[in-house]
Amino acid sequence: MKKGLLYAILASILWAIVNPFIKQGLSYDFTPMNFAGIRFISVGIILFAYTWHKGMWREIKQHSKLFLNLICINMFMGYTAFYFGVDFVSGAISSIIMGMTPLINVLLAHLLASNDKLNAHKIISLIVSLVGLLLIVGMGSDGEPLDWKGITGIVLLLFSIIFQGYSAISVSEDKGKVNPIFLNAVQMFFGGLLIYLVGLGTEGYHSFIGKPAGFYISLGILVFISVFAFSFWFIALQSKGAKVSDINMCRLINPILGAMLSWTMLAGEYPTFSTVAGMLVIVSSLVIYFKGPEIAKHIHKNK
């Protein structure tokens, strides 16, 4: 379990720095699905070079349900919603919304996982997190109320969390059946290819040749993150004794670090009262999740 938490923390730190670089890459006259497709295909090629082995096509066929789940739901549906969501809202708000991943996944785990049920302090933490979300939805990065595009972006990010949470439970339920790095290679390459092909049909072709250096730096950093983050995440989910809800709580790192990086790196983004307050409320809901039993025990003891 400790090994699982360590890998989950490493993955969460890497994911926390993703959103500003996606915003930066898209700013070079590029579209979300084209950009995501190129990123994930590149990651898949790198990981295939590392995990290529005899009988791997037989292995993919043997676990076709798991792989199709990851390619279609986690990668295609999850990341299509994620990239458009990030494009529609500020980097800080997208980071904070994605910070709700643990709590939404706690609810999904209760509904879908066989050994991961809700209790009183988990329910309280979910309610508190919704208050934080309402604070963020009310205002944009400039302190003004969000328009329809911003609200659509938040909804897409929430759908992304649900799609990826469902896939995470599938990986956790299939502990030890597939090498986690090979699992990442297959979902990245084929999921990225699917995203890119659909992007060509819906967004048209956008050349990635001859772009400014900043574009390639952003793309390179995102490829590096994907090579390691999902591999670490799958190792965490498949660790002995690991529960999806507990592993997901490590992602409390995302809203804080991601928002701070956005405010530092992206022009025109700065902290406002509503976004900071929403972030603090969401983080406090995670503290309730982790420390709820201890707090309840302490209150009962002092009565």
Side-chain angles (χ1 to χ4, degrees), residues 115-165:
N115 63 339
D116 212 344
K117 300 303 178 185
L118 280 172
N119 53 35
H121 71 275
K122 289 181 181 180
I123 293 171
I124 293 169
S125 67
L126 281 171
I127 294 169
V128 173
S129 72
L130 287 175
V131 175
L133 177 62
L134 291 173
L135 278 169
I136 296 165
V137 170
M139 295 290 173
S141 60
D142 56 0
E144 295 297 322
L146 285 171
D147 56 13
W148 68 268
K149 187 177 180 181
I151 293 171
T152 302
I154 288 176
V155 171
L156 286 171
L157 290 171
L158 292 173
F159 271 119
S160 171
I161 294 171
I162 292 169
F163 293 144
Q164 293 178 348

Side-chain angles (χ1 to χ4, degrees), residues 104-114 116-117 169 244-245:
I104 292 175
N105 283 346
V106 166
L107 185 57
L108 286 173
H110 171 75
L111 296 172
L112 301 174
S114 56
D116 212 344
K117 300 303 178 185
I169 291 167
V244 176
S245 57

Side-chain angles (χ1 to χ4, degrees), residues 167-175 237-238 242-244:
S167 296
I169 291 167
S170 300
V171 173
S172 180
E173 297 279 293
D174 285 336
K175 281 182 173 67
L237 288 170
Q238 293 188 344
K243 288 185 177 180
V244 176

Side-chain angles (χ1 to χ4, degrees), residues 116-290:
D116 212 344
K117 300 303 178 185
L118 280 172
N119 53 35
H121 71 275
K122 289 181 181 180
I123 293 171
I124 293 169
S125 67
L126 281 171
I127 294 169
V128 173
S129 72
L130 287 175
V131 175
L133 177 62
L134 291 173
L135 278 169
I136 296 165
V137 170
M139 295 290 173
S141 60
D142 56 0
E144 295 297 322
L146 285 171
D147 56 13
W148 68 268
K149 187 177 180 181
I151 293 171
T152 302
I154 288 176
V155 171
L156 286 171
L157 290 171
L158 292 173
F159 271 119
S160 171
I161 294 171
I162 292 169
F163 293 144
Q164 293 178 348
Y166 173 78
S167 296
I169 291 167
S170 300
V171 173
S172 180
E173 297 279 293
D174 285 336
K175 281 182 173 67
K177 292 183 180 178
V178 184
N179 178 286
I181 301 175
F182 178 64
L183 201 63
N184 193 21
V186 175
Q187 73 146 2
M188 285 287 168
F189 180 79
F190 290 105
L193 185 62
L194 183 59
I195 290 171
Y196 188 68
L197 291 174
V198 173
L200 290 179
T202 58
E203 300 171 342
Y205 173 72
H206 290 259
S207 175
F208 55 90
I209 307 298
K211 292 286 184 183
F215 173 83
Y216 298 109
I217 291 170
S218 298
L219 181 61
I221 290 171
L222 290 168
V223 167
F224 172 83
I225 289 170
S226 292
V227 165
F228 289 98
F230 255 114
S231 299
F232 289 161
W233 190 246
F234 287 158
I235 292 170
L237 288 170
Q238 293 188 344
S239 297
K240 189 176 180 180
K243 288 185 177 180
V244 176
S245 57
D246 293 339
I247 290 295
N248 267 286
M249 297 318 277
C250 296
R251 296 186 72 166
L252 63 88
I253 296 164
N254 292 27
I256 302 173
L257 184 55
M260 290 174 65
L261 283 169
S262 294
W263 292 327
T264 304
M265 292 173 55
L266 300 176
E269 294 200 18
Y270 50 86
T272 64
F273 173 79
S274 61
T275 53
V276 173
M279 178 171 67
L280 292 174
V281 170
I282 289 173
V283 170
S284 70
S285 71
L286 299 174
V287 173
I288 292 169
Y289 176 91
F290 269 128

